[in-house]
Amino acid sequence: MPRILIMNAGTAQMSGADLTKTQLSLAAKSALRSVWFAQEDDLIVSPIAIPTELLSLVGATLNFDVSTLSVLVPESAGEASILSDSTLQSDPIVERINRHIRRTTPWRISACYPSEGVARLAAALGILQNGDDFTLQRGPDLLNRKSHFRQLAASASLPVPSGCAITSPDELFRAVTSLRCETGSVIVKLDNGAGGLGNVILTGTESDPLPGARETRQVLWPSFDPNTIWTEMTTPSCRTAVVESYHLARSIFYLEFEIEANGSIAYVNTGSIRLRQSKDRSERALVWTGLELPSDLSNEQCSTARAHANRFVELARILGYRGMINIDAIFTTDGRLLFNEANGRWGGGSVLHSIAARLLGPDYSDSYVISSVRNVRSNSLQTAVDHFANDGCLFDSTRKEGVIPLAADQEAGTVECIVIARSRLACRDLEHRLLRMT
């Protein structure tokens, strides 16, 4: 059954007016890497044009005829780089999609975020999908807000850091004052931020950048100005934040599930989140280097985390949510399991999992390690392909190992790559060969 792939990354976080240049850039990059979900006869609805060389590479790597794909870019998307709900519901978009899908029936919709606009678009197209009633009431918002996550996590008995949601500078002051006593550090989270971009860690000691935030800031307790933090951490469309005790992590990972249309729950994958110190010592955040699937958790740790996460996913299923769910968690340095947040959407590892499953089979994690490597120096996808081929590390469908460039950032002159290897050691070797290009 052909699909309408809707690349609406960014719409669940903020309104277009609130999105920063960095977030818009991330949404555009997400649209490009999400092209790797495509299959024969799909229709891609993207906020930006998809380069021909990327489509050709996807087809050649995944072995299907990309001439059967169609790409629709709304004229109103312009410089926004996001597909807003209003754009998806607009008459021109509905009519253009309708003209296309009349050729073949039936169709189904697969969106990065199952937003209200996506559900209304489905209704306008006559595509009935389980979960749309919940989505029409903005139910998935419950899975994309950090304050709601804490509420749902409490209901599902998930272990979470001590903390609370706050809605004013006074509440912020009280929460920080109380919670800093547990570990000496707290993290303040923007309620609808993503990727740690809205988070700030406050600590009483001088510290290198810590995971999970855009900035690690030393505070000389009790000298703390809640009004300054409140102004930084909130936006016109979001006047809520979350404050939690901050715990150092031994392992940082995620678990991904899918609640299918019939209500069954499928475990998809787990991966480690990898970060490193910036070469620029003035940088106030760690550099996100990519993901590695499967995660480096022990079997016991993974089983424990999955058992807890399953309760949360079951709660989301009962509420009426259908689609992908990603849940972030850590094992602390003293061995505690703590869950940090959940998101009802495609996750960072979703594309990696999809590619690996199509190239290696559904049980790839038993025999392979998959990692993503960002910011590999290259002028274009084709330049990267040629270089990897000459270096002997381009993915080979016979050996079932190697490197695949996923998407290019023309402005930065870099590409993101996926590495496929049979062990973590072999994966690291391929990564080092890539980074020698920088």
Side-chain angles (χ1 to χ4, degrees):
M1 182 186 299
R3 301 167 301 166
I4 303 172
L5 297 177
I6 299 179
M7 315 304 200
N8 62 338
T11 57
Q13 269 76 46
M14 303 179 184
S15 69
D18 287 334
L19 287 165
T20 66
K21 183 178 179 180
T22 298
Q23 290 164 322
L24 290 172
S25 175
L26 290 174
K29 291 176 182 178
S30 175
L32 292 178
R33 72 197 302 275
S34 296
V35 173
W36 288 87
F37 284 123
Q39 300 174 10
E40 215 162 88
D41 298 321
D42 284 347
L43 169 63
I44 298 172
V45 183
S46 169
I48 59 173
I50 306 299
T52 302
E53 67 172 357
L54 174 56
L55 291 172
S56 298
L57 180 61
V58 170
T61 304
L62 299 179
N63 193 30
F64 73 97
D65 182 3
V66 292
S67 69
T68 65
L69 292 178
S70 298
V71 179
L72 187 157
V73 180
E75 295 178 3
S76 60
E79 299 179 356
S81 297
I82 63 167
L83 286 176
S84 66
D85 277 0
S86 59
T87 297
L88 290 172
Q89 297 173 68
S90 65
D91 290 340
I93 290 300
V94 174
E95 178 54 33
R96 288 176 66 186
I97 296 176
N98 248 328
R99 286 200 304 267
H100 181 87
I101 68 174
R102 289 192 192 114
R103 306 173 194 168
T104 310
T105 54
W107 286 78
R108 63 187 178 94
I109 291 178
S110 179
C112 178
Y113 285 96
S115 65
E116 178 188 4
V118 171
R120 293 196 181 282
L121 172 64
L125 298 172
I127 300 174
L128 302 179
Q129 302 188 128
N130 288 335
D132 277 357
D133 288 344
F134 181 71
T135 303
L136 284 169
Q137 301 305 315
R138 301 185 179 181
D141 288 357
L142 294 172
L143 303 174
N144 290 296
R145 299 270 177 160
K146 295 177 178 63
S147 59
H148 294 157
F149 170 72
R150 291 189 61 85
Q151 294 165 337
L152 296 173
S155 179
S157 300
L158 258 67
V160 297
S162 302
C164 60
I166 51 98
T167 58
S168 71
D170 287 343
E171 290 181 2
L172 174 61
F173 180 80
R174 288 194 294 270
V176 169
T177 300
S178 171
L179 292 167
R180 74 176 180 86
C181 298
E182 184 171 341
T183 66
S185 302
V186 299
I187 184 168
V188 185
K189 301 178 177 180
L190 178 63
D191 199 26
N192 60 356
L197 294 176
N199 302 343
V200 172
I201 295 168
L202 306 177
T203 182
T205 59
E206 186 175 352
S207 172
D208 288 333
L210 296 169
R214 61 175 168 81
E215 181 182 353
T216 300
R217 186 178 303 175
Q218 183 180 9
V219 177
L220 300 177
W221 311 115
S223 176
F224 166 63
D225 180 7
N227 293 294
T228 299
I229 298 292
W230 178 255
T231 300
E232 292 178 15
M233 298 298 300
T234 56
T235 68
S237 65
C238 183
R239 309 297 289 177
T240 300
V242 167
V243 183
E244 295 176 344
S245 58
Y246 182 81
H247 298 259
L248 294 175
R250 178 182 299 158
S251 299
I252 307 172
F253 64 97
Y254 72 89
L255 300 129
E256 184 168 49
F257 299 82
E258 181 177 10
I259 304 177
E260 298 173 342
N262 63 6
S264 61
I265 295 174
Y267 169 71
V268 179
N269 69 85
T270 179
S272 297
I273 299 169
R274 299 193 297 164
L275 304 155
R276 65 168 174 81
Q277 186 83 41
S278 172
K279 295 177 182 178
D280 180 0
R281 301 300 293 179
S282 66
E283 179 61 51
R284 294 187 291 182
L286 293 176
V287 177
W288 184 69
T289 59
L291 303 173
E292 185 171 273
L293 289 65
S295 66
D296 58 3
L297 300 177
S298 68
N299 290 337
E300 181 181 0
Q301 287 176 324
C302 192
S303 296
T304 300
R306 279 183 62 177
H308 282 291
N310 267 313
R311 294 199 303 274
F312 185 91
V313 179
E314 172 63 16
L315 177 58
R317 185 194 71 80
I318 292 171
L319 288 172
Y321 178 77
R322 298 295 180 268
M324 304 296 294
I325 296 185
N326 297 270
I327 307 175
D328 292 347
I330 64 170
F331 275 99
T332 66
T333 52
D334 59 359
R336 295 173 60 193
L337 171 64
L338 295 174
F339 288 88
N340 294 322
E341 66 174 288
N343 289 285
R345 56 166 171 78
W346 299 339
S350 302
V351 166
L352 307 184
H353 169 80
S354 175
I355 293 171
R358 291 167 72 174
L359 292 176
L360 310 172
D363 298 325
Y364 69 87
S365 61
D366 294 339
S367 306
Y368 290 90
V369 175
I370 316 298
S371 72
S372 58
V373 182
R374 302 173 71 229
N375 301 327
V376 176
R377 280 286 163 197
S378 182
N379 294 327
S380 68
L381 279 177
Q382 190 57 54
T383 301
V385 169
D386 293 342
H387 180 94
F388 299 156
N390 291 335
D391 195 48
C393 65
L394 187 67
F395 178 80
D396 181 272
S397 58
T398 301
R399 292 188 298 109
K400 296 188 182 299
E401 288 185 284
V403 179
I404 304 168
L406 295 183
D409 184 337
Q410 299 286 2
E411 184 176 338
T414 61
V415 297
E416 178 185 0
C417 300
I418 176 175
V419 173
I420 299 176
R422 294 183 184 272
S423 69
R424 296 194 193 276
L425 183 61
C427 193
R428 293 291 178 271
D429 179 61
L430 282 172
E431 290 173 0
H432 291 154
R433 290 169 69 177
L434 284 184
L435 295 175
R436 285 200 298 268
M437 294 178 61
T438 62

